[in-house]
Amino acid sequence: IVLGVIQPLAAQAGVMAVVMADEARVQQAIAPHGEHVSIASINGPDTVVISGQREAVGQVLAKLTADGLDTEMLNTSNAGHSELIDPMLEPFRAVAEKLQYASPRINMISNVSGKLAGGEVACGAYWVRHARMPVRFADGMNALAATGCGTFVEIGPNPNLLAMGMACVNGLRLRPKWLPSLTKDRSSWETMLYSLGKLYVAGAEIDWRGFHSRSNRQRVP
């Protein structure tokens, strides 16, 4: 239902683009266009994604390019985190408010605030804001680094976010490990075993009994 609401409008008029500039510079550039262009995500100290009406985004990119900044249109089917998803927010809210929530039992960073999350994520209203507001990825990475996190594992089909994460904490007094769960150029099993081995060497507790539970292996002297 949600996709059915968002897709027709966003696909026709909406685009997203990445701008190699800081948040303040991008905010200044989009200000003349009001609600027609929004910041969709802050992915690094100098990497911001904008989203919105095709014509307005094009005008912003033309001005930024003329100013000597690098920009790139993204290949996406919708303009997320912009006014173009507003028609789906109320249907989404209706579904989100029917779900049961609980406060996080392990540390969780909010993409809305870029800070450690608490009970505020345990309601439908939070996830409506999550859909509409910018993704504060860079702030979230810095919040993780501030906790002393030394190993980052990206759970996904390809490690697109690891490089962005490295850029966010580059310069801090950290030498973290950056591990993929899956990659496109290696078998799933090989990649998962590689990262599992790295986690084990780093001191992570591994449930080896669970790991071997579906195999016919036997211990030998």
Side-chain angles (χ1 to χ4, degrees), residues 44-203:
D46 295 305
T47 308
V48 175
V49 175
I50 62 174
S51 178
Q53 295 281 356
R54 181 180 299 275
E55 182 178 353
V57 170
Q59 291 173 2
V60 172
L61 295 184
K63 177 65 168 62
L64 291 171
T65 301
D67 291 343
L69 295 173
D70 291 332
T71 67
E72 181 181 354
M73 197 73 77
L74 297 179
N75 182 20
T76 181
S77 61
N78 63 72
H81 304 277
S82 77
E83 66 168 1
L84 292 180
I85 73 163
D86 287 352
M88 60 77 71
L89 292 182
E90 287 309 312
F92 179 66
R93 185 191 305 276
V95 174
E97 290 183 347
K98 292 179 181 178
L99 303 179
Q100 292 184 341
Y101 299 89
S103 296
R105 289 181 291 178
I106 61 174
N107 286 344
M108 170 183 170
I109 303 296
S110 165
N111 274 338
V112 175
S113 67
K115 301 176 181 178
L116 196 65
E120 74 275 9
V121 305
C123 67
Y126 169 84
W127 297 101
V128 175
R129 295 196 303 275
H130 194 284
R132 183 63 172 88
M133 295 177 69
V135 176
R136 306 204 68 88
F137 177 81
D139 288 342
M141 291 300 301
N142 283 310
L144 277 173
T147 68
C149 183
T151 303
F152 296 86
V153 182
E154 178 173 352
I155 307 300
N158 207 44
N160 298 316
L161 300 181
L162 291 185
M164 292 187 347
M166 292 179 196
C168 292
V169 303
N170 187 28
L172 299 180
R173 294 181 179 180
L174 284 176
R175 290 187 177 179
K177 294 179 174 61
W178 303 91
L179 303 175
S181 58
L182 298 170
T183 59
K184 293 180 179 179
D185 56 351
R186 296 169 70 181
S187 71
S188 302
W189 192 236
E190 180 182 2
T191 305
M192 292 287 278
L193 281 178
Y194 168 83
S195 292
L196 183 67
K198 290 290 185 180
L199 288 171
Y200 177 63
V201 171

Side-chain angles (χ1 to χ4, degrees), residues 32-52:
H33 299 273
E35 290 294 314
H36 297 318
V37 183
S38 301
I39 289 182
S41 62
I42 301 95
N43 292 338
D46 295 305
T47 308
V48 175
V49 175
I50 62 174
S51 178

